[in-house]
Amino acid sequence: MNWYPWLNEPYRQIITAYQSGRGHHALLLHSIPGNGAQALCYGISRWLICQERDGLKSCGQCHSCRLMLAGNHPDYHIIEVEKGKSTVSVDAVRKLIETLSRHAQQGGNKVVYIPQVEALTDAAANALLKTLEEPAKDTYFLLGSDKQENLLATIRSRCLSHFLPAPDPQIALYWLQKQKPGIAVENAITALKICQGAPLSALALLDEQRWQKRNALCHSLGHALQTGDMLSLLPSLNIDEAPDALNWLLSLLADAIKIQQGAGAFCINQDQQSQVLQLAGAMNRTQLINMYDKWLYCRHQLLTVPALNQELILTNQLLQWEASLSLPTF
């Protein structure tokens, strides 16, 4: 698994706590997506599993390290959402608890990593509580979450929470430029801002096909504002990654609001200033804020309501936008 330079300091802090006896048996790592939390948890797991530690590092040579590197250590357990499902079932947790009740096969620590602890069903989370509060000897839990507000309070109360912040913007920009040589600076900065500073998410956004889809949306928005035909935006929004497309649209609306408030220096879309200015000139502040709220709710529906007719809800919202543009602005 790849390692990222901005993880060095949080890794040192966490491992130092374990070395001094202050490390908690259940660590809840909260991070925005694309910040490298999975790599950090893997690094911590390597250190906890290692039987010949070299200070802050795992040795990489002992039998446990070799098993970890091979991806088949019997005392390292990953509990994640199965393919085709959206939650972790109570049966998966019960099977884990039964496994943890046995002695470690390698005679060292047992480590459980749950990348998305919010994906546990209520039944699964409740089944985990007792083991999480009173685990077997030498058993550690590493829980990842990017939606901590969705966690049961009983889970949070049994863990030590650690927030993994986005790296310094200059560090993130430097890393991104090394991954994408020759990339335009304004594109890299824009991608980082759209992704809340998370470098891995920004790198994924800058993938040629995804970046083209975003650019197509921005271009379509400019044309739609010129013609008043907001429904022409539908092909750019009604895609497999519709929530992402709506996120791009929301960032443009937010930038237009900033322009009207004299806060243009804080705009996200550094590479789409003409579209942002056009949007700010086509709608007044009340219209922009109202439309931002409507699209935000639309995105929430697409993410949370099963079997929703995506094309229908997007069409309805675009027609409402078109109707609002025909009203007088004040």
Side-chain angles (χ1 to χ4, degrees), residues 11 15 19 43 46-47 50 52-60 65:
Y11 174 85
I15 297 302
Q19 285 180 318
R46 286 276 308 275
W47 187 88
C50 179
E52 299 290 341
R53 297 166 187 155
D54 180 16
L56 295 173
K57 300 179 180 179
S58 52
C59 71
C65 280

Side-chain angles (χ1 to χ4, degrees), residues 177-229:
Q177 289 174 316
K178 286 189 68 176
Q179 309 308 307
K180 303 280 290 186
I183 187 174
V185 174
E186 62 269 20
N187 289 354
I189 292 174
T190 296
L192 282 167
K193 289 188 175 185
I194 289 175
C195 298
Q196 299 176 280
L200 301 183
S201 292
L203 182 62
L205 175 56
L206 287 167
D207 174 78
E208 185 176 353
Q209 290 188 347
R210 286 194 75 201
W211 196 247
Q212 284 179 353
K213 288 180 180 179
R214 174 185 169 270
N215 287 342
L217 171 63
C218 295
H219 176 77
S220 298
L221 176 61
H223 179 265
L225 289 171
Q226 284 181 342
T227 62
D229 180 16

Side-chain angles (χ1 to χ4, degrees), residues 79-288:
I79 306 300
E80 55 189 342
V81 178
E82 296 178 12
K83 188 175 182 179
K85 297 184 178 180
S86 59
T87 58
V88 175
S89 70
V90 65
D91 290 337
V93 171
R94 286 171 179 163
K95 184 178 179 181
L96 169 69
I97 293 171
E98 182 181 351
T99 302
L100 294 177
S101 66
R102 308 188 192 111
H103 291 294
Q105 293 189 39
Q106 295 300 310
N109 291 330
K110 292 174 283 187
V111 177
V112 177
Y113 174 42
I114 306 180
Q116 293 178 289
V117 68
E118 64 269 17
L120 295 173
T121 63
D122 286 351
N126 286 324
L128 185 64
L129 288 179
K130 183 172 177 58
T131 304
L132 197 59
E133 184 172 14
E134 298 177 359
K137 184 182 178 183
D138 298 328
T139 300
Y140 295 89
F141 289 87
L142 299 175
L143 311 179
S145 175
D146 56 25
K147 296 182 178 67
Q148 202 168 4
E149 66 277 7
N150 293 342
L151 296 183
L152 292 177
T154 46
I155 290 284
R156 291 200 303 269
S157 66
R158 286 163 172 77
C159 302
L160 176 67
S161 293
H162 185 97
F163 177 66
L164 178 63
D168 179 273
Q170 291 303 315
I171 292 175
L173 179 60
Y174 176 74
W175 180 85
L176 202 55
Q177 289 174 316
K178 286 189 68 176
Q179 309 308 307
K180 303 280 290 186
I183 187 174
V185 174
E186 62 269 20
N187 289 354
I189 292 174
T190 296
L192 282 167
K193 289 188 175 185
I194 289 175
C195 298
Q196 299 176 280
L200 301 183
S201 292
L203 182 62
L205 175 56
L206 287 167
D207 174 78
E208 185 176 353
Q209 290 188 347
R210 286 194 75 201
W211 196 247
Q212 284 179 353
K213 288 180 180 179
R214 174 185 169 270
N215 287 342
L217 171 63
C218 295
H219 176 77
S220 298
L221 176 61
H223 179 265
L225 289 171
Q226 284 181 342
T227 62
D229 180 16
M230 304 311 292
L231 198 57
S232 64
L233 278 173
L234 185 60
S236 297
L237 294 175
N238 190 31
I239 59 177
D240 291 340
E241 308 91 344
D244 289 338
L246 292 186
N247 192 46
W248 304 334
L249 179 58
L250 285 165
S251 72
L252 292 165
L253 287 165
D255 280 355
I257 295 171
K258 293 171 190 173
I259 289 290
Q260 290 188 354
Q261 296 296 307
F266 300 97
C267 282
I268 292 172
N269 298 276
Q270 300 291 316
D271 62 332
Q272 299 291 339
Q273 288 299 297
S274 60
Q275 276 77 10
V276 171
L277 289 169
Q278 186 180 4
L279 192 54
M283 305 171 70
N284 63 33
R285 183 177 62 180
T286 301
Q287 288 175 318
L288 283 170

Side-chain angles (χ1 to χ4, degrees), residues 300-315:
H300 174 73
Q301 285 182 301
L302 293 180
L303 288 170
T304 60
V305 181
L308 194 67
N309 188 320
Q310 176 175 293
E311 184 174 1
L312 183 61
I313 191 171
L314 290 172
T315 299

